[in-house]
Amino acid sequence: MRVAILSDIHGNRHALEAVLDDVREAGADELWCLGDLVGYGADPDACVELARERFAICLAGNHDLAVTGGIGIEEFSRGAAVSARWTREVIRAENLAYLEALRPSGVEGAYALYHASPRDAVWEYVLSEQLADLCLDAAERRVSFIGHSHVALAFVRENETGRTIGALREPGSTADLRERHWMLNPGSVGQPRDGDPRAAWLLLDTEAEQAEWRRTRYDVAGAQDAIRAAGLPDSLADRLGYGQ
Ligand code: ZN
């Protein structure tokens, strides 16, 4: 089976629609999402409706939980808090109900899925090798997928040395998951923070046990206009332009 793994869509309909076109062309059989359907972006309803229609698996992210009231927004930055409050006001009841039913982690066959990390599925940012090493110990499967940091990357524990190595992943780079312990982040569909403004996702082949990082061009200006038209902070529109 070929699975497209998406994360951190953040109400960016323009990015999600472009990725869904790309996913169809790549021949993926299923879509899994690691959470944060909403927050920051101007189209929460459109994104949740596409998720309800297309995603076989969907986790809850911290921004989804902030909108449903599952967690408080005290720890959010100003832009994140403003957009969480705005999303809460505008989102349709049936889409809010869908978000309320989501959980921040799950296990699917040979794979463990976490919005943030195996140790703390809601909040922990896994960006260092030291932390990734602890997370690999806590993971429920040999291979896990995480989102939350909005950075396309992989951590792998080397067999020979037992050391955990991490690296950013360029589009087209692959991982052979047949052996060793892995933690993979597809990057963010709707708000990349690794300097590449294109929407990020990952294609997993469960038979070959191979993963490939992908990037999709989308209408960034359209997403920026929608954020401004909604009256959300300008900074949320600006950052989409440089992928930070
Ligand atoms: Zn996020």
Side-chain angles (χ1 to χ4, degrees), residues 31-32 41-42 53 70 77 88 109 122 126 131 144 152 216 226 241:
L31 284 124
W32 299 354
E53 235 170 73
S77 66
R88 214 181 272 170
V122 177
V126 189
L131 185 53
S144 45
T216 300

Side-chain angles (χ1 to χ4, degrees), residues 82-99:
V82 168
S83 67
R85 272 187 226 107
W86 176 85
T87 304
R88 214 181 272 170
E89 278 164 31
V90 302
I91 196 166
R92 287 192 201 106
E94 65 269 28
N95 292 332
L96 188 65
Y98 175 81
L99 294 181

Side-chain angles (χ1 to χ4, degrees), residues 7-10 35-40 61-63 115 125 147-150 188 191 193:
S7 191
D8 297 280
I9 292 158
H10 284 294
D36 277 357
L37 291 175
V38 301
Y40 299 129
N62 54 314
H63 289 259
H115 173 64
Y125 290 91
H148 192 51
S149 69
H150 300 203
S188 168
Q191 197 199 73
R193 292 180 195 160

Side-chain angles (χ1 to χ4, degrees), residues 1-2 5 28 32-33 36 55 74 77 86 121 123 139 141 161 177 196 214 220 228 235 240:
M1 185 169 70
R2 286 156 77 80
I5 302 183
W32 299 354
C33 175
D36 277 357
F55 296 175
E74 305 77 39
S77 66
W86 176 85
W123 282 113
R141 291 289 185 272
T161 60
L177 309 176
D196 182 344
R214 298 281 188 118
V220 174
R228 294 195 182 100
S235 57
L240 296 182

Side-chain angles (χ1 to χ4, degrees), residues 107-190:
V107 167
E108 180 65 22
Y111 306 104
L113 313 174
Y114 306 94
H115 173 64
S117 104
R119 304 196 320 161
D120 175 347
V122 177
W123 282 113
E124 188 168 69
Y125 290 91
V126 189
L127 288 165
S128 75
E129 291 172 342
Q130 204 178 5
L131 185 53
D133 195 51
L134 298 172
C135 288
L136 287 174
D137 287 337
E140 291 158 274
R141 291 289 185 272
R142 187 176 59 77
V143 177
S144 45
F145 296 94
I146 59 170
H148 192 51
S149 69
H150 300 203
V151 176
L153 50 77
F155 293 100
V156 60
R157 183 177 283 155
E158 299 291 348
N159 277 342
E160 308 73 33
T161 60
R163 253 194 80 196
T164 296
I165 311 281
L168 298 177
R169 291 300 187 134
E170 297 291 324
S173 86
T174 59
D176 180 352
L177 309 176
R178 287 174 300 175
E179 49 183 40
R180 302 185 288 173
H181 287 73
W182 288 90
M183 204 162 38
L184 284 66
N185 191 324
S188 168
V189 169

